């Protein structure tokens, strides 16, 4: 069983309004689509996002303006991060993108990560033939960058692959500011400044990353490399 890590960048005309908000605004710092449920017969979908923002009120106002979102709920985590649940109508532009996945025996492994250009990075699992068919079927309007492909085994991957992109950024920032120096010369606040988030959010990223690494080492599953 193969996995494909790939980045899709859609043109402006294909973007969901909230993706436009990411690409052309300065509110969303980081976003993950954690879970979703599509109801194709009803053209309705349910989605759960984790989002880091500079202004929660502006984010909420942007959601209010999206006609396809029928219902939503925003649950704050701290001043700069939140969970967003949405029930919305499926857009024709989204169907165009999803046609590449139609009839293929593939699984998208959450989360789907949106960068500051609203491009989507995702891990897709299946056999090599189906993965190649997916890549061949991506519409020409969508830029597609293959980041990695290989045998899928999430248990025995490197430490780096066990961490999210944001957790790796946090670890790198912490190293740069001296957070891991002995004696320590940098603080969580310094890490937060580099990441552009609240100290509590930076601390959360570091704690989750550290817990993942320690569990791997304690279980004897991972050689550092």
């Amino acid at each position: 069983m193969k996995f494909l890590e790939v980045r899709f960048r859609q043109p402006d005309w294909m973007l969901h309004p909230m993706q436009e908000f990411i690409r052309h605004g300065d509110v969303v710092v980081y976003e993950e689509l954690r879970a979703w449920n599509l109801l194709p017969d009803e053209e309705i979908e349910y989605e759960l996002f984790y989002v880091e923002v500079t202004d929660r009120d502006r984010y909420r106002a942007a959601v209010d303006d999206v006609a396809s979102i029928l219902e939503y709920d925003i649950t704050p985590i701290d001043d700069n991060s939140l969970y967003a649940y949405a029930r919305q109508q499926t857009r024709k532009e989204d169907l165009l993108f999803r046609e590449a996945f139609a009839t293929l025996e593939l699984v998208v492994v959450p989360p789907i990560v949106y960068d500051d250009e609203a491009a989507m990075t995702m891990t897709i699992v299946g056999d090599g033939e189906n993965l190649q068919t997916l890549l061949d079927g991506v519409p020409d309007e969508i830029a597609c960058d293959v980041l990695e492909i290989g045998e899928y085994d999430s248990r025995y991957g490197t430490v780096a692959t066990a961490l999210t992109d944001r957790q790796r950024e946090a670890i790198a920032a912490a190293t740069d500011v001296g957070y891991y120096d002995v004696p320590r010369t940098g603080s969580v606040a310094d890490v937060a400044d580099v990441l552009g988030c609240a100290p509590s959010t930076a601390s959360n990223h570091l704690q989750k990353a550290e817990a993942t690494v320690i569990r791997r080492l304690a279980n004897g599953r991972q050689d550092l490399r």
Side-chain angles (χ1 to χ4, degrees):
M1 181 171 56
K2 301 286 187 180
F3 81 93
L4 169 69
E5 185 176 359
V6 62
R7 178 181 185 267
F8 296 111
R9 188 185 189 280
Q10 298 166 285
D12 280 0
W13 67 265
M14 194 180 290
L15 292 179
H16 185 279
M18 291 307 295
Q19 289 175 288
E20 290 184 30
F21 186 66
I22 294 173
R23 181 174 293 179
H24 302 296
D26 59 357
V27 172
V28 177
V29 177
Y30 178 80
E31 181 167 298
E32 291 179 350
L33 175 55
R34 292 285 184 90
W36 57 89
N37 184 23
L38 309 179
L39 304 180
D41 294 338
E42 300 178 27
E43 296 187 348
I44 294 291
E45 51 198 68
Y46 301 86
E47 295 155 333
L48 176 66
F49 296 88
Y50 166 75
V51 193
E52 295 176 11
V53 298
T54 59
D55 189 321
R56 195 165 61 226
D57 291 337
R58 288 173 62 192
Y59 181 85
R60 184 186 295 273
V63 176
D64 279 332
D65 286 341
V66 179
S68 63
I69 296 180
L70 307 175
E71 177 187 358
Y72 75 89
D73 181 66
I74 291 176
T75 301
I77 302 171
D78 55 34
D79 290 343
N80 297 96
S81 60
L82 57 91
Y83 291 110
Y85 159 86
R87 178 174 69 89
Q88 65 174 324
Q89 293 176 324
T90 301
R91 301 160 60 249
K92 292 181 180 179
E93 295 86 349
D94 296 327
L95 291 175
L96 177 63
F97 174 74
R98 292 170 188 166
E99 282 178 0
F101 291 82
T103 72
L104 297 178
E105 298 175 357
L106 298 173
V107 174
V108 178
V109 181
I112 296 174
V113 177
Y114 294 85
D115 62 23
D116 58 3
E117 293 186 341
M120 300 175 287
T121 297
M122 62 182 74
T123 299
I124 307 166
V125 173
D127 65 40
E129 182 177 348
N130 277 291
L131 290 171
Q132 187 60 56
T133 300
L134 168 68
L135 295 175
D136 292 341
V138 174
D140 292 338
E141 300 94 331
I142 299 174
C144 176
D145 297 314
V146 174
L147 305 178
E148 188 175 356
I149 189 167
E151 291 293 330
Y152 183 75
D153 190 344
S154 64
R155 298 174 305 159
Y156 302 108
T158 65
V159 167
T161 59
L163 305 179
T164 67
D165 288 344
R166 196 60 166 166
Q167 288 167 358
R168 287 196 291 271
E169 290 176 10
I171 291 292
T175 301
D176 290 342
V177 303
Y179 181 77
Y180 291 116
D181 288 353
V182 180
R184 180 170 290 170
T185 59
S187 66
V188 170
D190 295 327
V191 177
D193 285 342
V194 174
L195 297 178
C197 66
S200 58
T201 302
S203 177
N204 186 49
H205 289 317
L206 291 174
Q207 288 179 36
K208 287 183 177 180
E210 291 161 2
T212 297
V213 172
I214 293 302
R215 278 197 298 268
R216 292 256 173 157
L217 293 174
N219 292 336
R221 294 180 175 180
Q222 179 63 54
D223 293 323
L224 287 175
R225 57 177 182 256

